[in-house]
């Protein structure tokens, strides 16, 4: 058998590639005899897209043509839905694709050969260090508080002359809390105006905290703010990969240069537009999941578990070194959850039966996390 080394012994990746973590997608559940298994490891919406979306996708036939590279129909629909100019919207393959476009445009290597810095909370979205590293920039990770919240004071203190971008994930994935409007605005005002502040709102539709920040409000007030959103979560379109950024024209002009051509397919654009046109049905489905989230968090607290504020479609268990053990126990119960090393476990809010089984598992697990 010929090995890759014998085929191309001199080929090596960029040095940064070997230093980057590998993205670990949520694993599917194992089959357990006698029960239905459930995947609670990827923050997917357990409900399918609304019927109108399924019908619209089935009617699509123009796959012999390239999609509109500007996603004009979707940007027009979003402009009306969000009351923002269509020119301020740049689409991408999910909010992650939109983030990669932003980093490609604004963070990398300086002319002096030194790397720009990108600040973000940690733990936060696990793709951040990968995206930042591949862009050629350096990650500056600021630990979250024991309650799983962004430490905005420490993040502000981490800003240096090399800082180009700050990522604010709200609600924070995987810990759950959202950022408040007042604290976010205070933070933006402490940051130099030439540093881009990204408000990553992948789970925005699930937020019920009346004091939570609205990224759109911040973008309207501050020219250095970029908002990221996606159709993957609330709209149930994770497999179609469609998201977008919102920022003012002096930023979007560069984001369009960095945008991947034809990134959003005809199917994805049609599905997203149709979902927006029937948003009341999306809201109803989201509320079902929010109600389940509240049931799960209340149940965990009754069992004596400490759970950070949950504003997304998931809960965080600060299990530390017991994370892998809990993940194995969940697997035996037909549940796939997402363990993050020896830090904790994230559990997606799924089907009612899955959520109930998760609570039963927690009721019988003797190593419940307490407040740090």
């Amino acid at each position: 058998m010929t090995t890759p080394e014998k085929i191309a012994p001199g080929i090596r990746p960029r040095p940064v590639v070997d230093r980057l973590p590998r993205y670990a997608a949520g694993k599917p559940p194992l089959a357990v005899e006698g029960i239905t298994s459930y995947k609670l490891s990827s923050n997917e919406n357990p409900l399918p897209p609304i019927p109108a979306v399924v019908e619209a996708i089935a009617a699509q036939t123009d796959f012999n043509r390239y999609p509109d590279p500007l996603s004009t129909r979707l940007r027009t629909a979003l402009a009306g839905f969000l009351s923002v100019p269509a020119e301020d919207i740049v689409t991408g393959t999910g909010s992650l694709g939109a983030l990669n476009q932003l980093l490609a445009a604004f963070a990398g290597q300086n002319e002096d050969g030194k790397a720009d810095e990108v600040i973000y909370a940690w733990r936060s979205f696990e793709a951040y260090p990968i995206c930042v590293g591949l862009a050629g920039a350096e990650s500056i990770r600021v630990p979250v508080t024991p309650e799983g919240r962004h430490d905005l004071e420490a993040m502000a203190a981490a800003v240096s002359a090399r800082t180009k971008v700050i990522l604010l994930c709200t609600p924070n994935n995987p810990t759950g809390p959202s950022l408040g409007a007042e604290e976010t605005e205070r933070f933006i005002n402490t940051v130099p105006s030439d540093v881009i502040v990204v408000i990553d709102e992948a789970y925005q539709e699930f937020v019920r905290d009346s004091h939570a920040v609205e990224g759109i409000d911040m973008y309207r007030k501050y020219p250095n703010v970029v908002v990221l959103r996606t159709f993957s979560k609330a709209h149930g379109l994770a497999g179609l990969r469609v998201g977008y950024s919102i920022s003012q024209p002096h930023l979007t002009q560069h984001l369009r240069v960095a945008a991947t051509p034809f990134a959003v397919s005809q199917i994805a654009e049609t599905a997203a537009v149709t979902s927006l046109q029937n948003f009341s049905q999306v809201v109803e489905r989201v509320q079902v999941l929010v109600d389940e989230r509240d049931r799960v968090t209340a149940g965990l607290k009754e069992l004596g578990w400490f759970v950070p504020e949950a504003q997304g479609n998931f809960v965080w268990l600060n299990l530390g070194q017991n994370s892998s053990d809990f993940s194995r126990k969940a697997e035996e119960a037909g549940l796939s959850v997402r363990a993050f090393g020896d830090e904790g476990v994230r559990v997606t809010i799924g089907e009612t039966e899955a959520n109930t089984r998760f609570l039963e598992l927690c009721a019988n697990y003797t190593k419940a996390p307490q407040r740090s």
Side-chain angles (χ1 to χ4, degrees):
M1 183 176 182
T2 304
T3 64
E5 289 77 12
K6 291 182 179 180
I7 295 173
I11 295 178
R12 292 290 183 271
R14 292 164 51 206
V16 68
V17 174
D18 286 333
R19 298 195 299 267
L20 294 176
R22 272 43 175 179
Y23 185 84
K27 295 180 180 179
L30 294 179
V32 178
E33 186 175 355
I35 60 174
T36 301
S37 295
Y38 294 97
K39 185 182 180 186
L40 305 180
S41 56
S42 293
N43 287 354
E44 296 158 330
N45 190 327
L47 304 173
I50 60 174
V53 168
V54 177
E55 293 171 7
I57 290 174
Q60 194 97 26
T61 60
D62 59 343
F63 308 126
N64 57 313
R65 306 294 182 185
Y66 286 110
D68 172 12
L70 296 178
S71 303
T72 305
R73 285 190 300 135
L74 177 54
R75 290 190 304 109
T76 301
L78 282 168
F81 182 75
L82 299 171
S83 299
V84 305
E87 292 73 20
D88 289 3
I89 301 170
V90 180
T91 56
T93 51
S95 56
L96 182 57
L99 172 62
N100 279 326
Q101 292 166 181
L102 183 141
L103 293 172
F106 294 106
Q109 295 286 330
N110 283 310
E111 292 180 357
D112 61 6
K114 294 182 179 180
D116 295 325
E117 293 178 348
V118 178
I119 297 173
Y120 50 88
W122 198 253
R123 179 169 287 273
S124 192
F125 183 29
E126 66 177 313
Y128 286 165
I130 302 172
C131 297
V132 171
L134 288 176
E138 180 181 350
S139 288
I140 304 298
R141 305 182 190 184
V142 178
V144 296
T145 70
E147 292 76 28
R149 302 185 62 83
H150 284 55
D151 187 339
L152 292 180
E153 185 175 341
M155 293 179 75
V159 174
S160 75
R162 291 166 55 195
T163 304
K164 290 294 171 63
V165 177
I166 301 173
L167 307 178
L168 303 178
C169 185
T170 177
N172 187 48
N173 173 21
T175 60
S178 58
L179 287 166
E182 291 185 4
E183 65 176 342
T184 303
E185 189 158 13
R186 283 196 304 270
F187 175 77
I188 294 171
N189 281 309
T190 67
V191 172
S193 60
D194 60 349
V195 173
I196 294 175
V197 177
V198 178
I199 302 178
D200 187 346
E201 296 185 312
Y203 302 90
Q204 185 268 342
E205 295 89 348
F206 297 93
V207 176
R208 293 298 181 269
D209 180 359
S210 60
H211 300 292
V213 66
E214 275 278 352
I216 301 294
D217 293 341
M218 298 298 105
Y219 130 86
R220 290 192 175 108
K221 294 179 68 173
Y222 299 97
N224 61 327
V225 167
V226 179
V227 179
L228 302 181
R229 291 189 178 180
T230 184
F231 285 84
S232 295
K233 309 302 181 182
H235 294 265
L237 301 178
L240 294 184
R241 312 308 304 129
V242 54
Y244 55 98
S245 64
I246 310 168
S247 57
Q248 296 185 22
H250 63 283
L251 298 180
T252 58
Q253 64 176 322
H254 304 299
L255 293 178
R256 293 195 198 288
V257 174
T260 302
F262 313 118
V264 178
S265 70
Q266 296 97 320
I267 292 180
E269 184 173 22
T270 294
V273 169
T274 304
S275 202
L276 285 176
Q277 291 170 341
N278 297 273
F279 190 65
S280 61
Q281 296 177 42
V282 175
V283 170
E284 290 176 2
R285 292 179 175 219
V286 168
Q287 189 58 48
V288 169
L289 296 176
V290 169
D291 291 343
E292 276 294 286
R293 178 191 73 196
D294 292 347
R295 179 175 77 89
V296 168
T297 54
L300 289 170
K301 290 175 182 177
E302 288 177 7
L303 293 170
W305 288 62
F306 166 66
V307 183
E309 176 195 9
Q311 290 292 325
N313 67 335
F314 54 89
V315 295
W316 173 253
L317 307 179
N318 187 23
L319 281 158
Q321 294 182 348
N322 295 318
S323 298
S324 296
D325 178 66
F326 183 88
S327 179
R328 286 192 296 271
K329 294 290 195 303
E331 199 171 67
E332 294 168 1
L335 302 175
S336 174
V337 300
R338 181 70 171 87
F340 290 82
D342 60 358
E343 297 174 60
V345 174
R346 187 193 67 197
V347 183
T348 306
I349 300 301
E351 295 84 346
T352 301
E353 181 182 346
N355 301 330
T356 298
R357 192 183 304 165
F358 166 58
L359 286 173
E360 292 171 352
L361 171 64
C362 291
N364 295 312
Y365 194 77
T366 59
K367 304 170 186 175
Q370 304 300 316
R371 183 183 298 272
S372 299

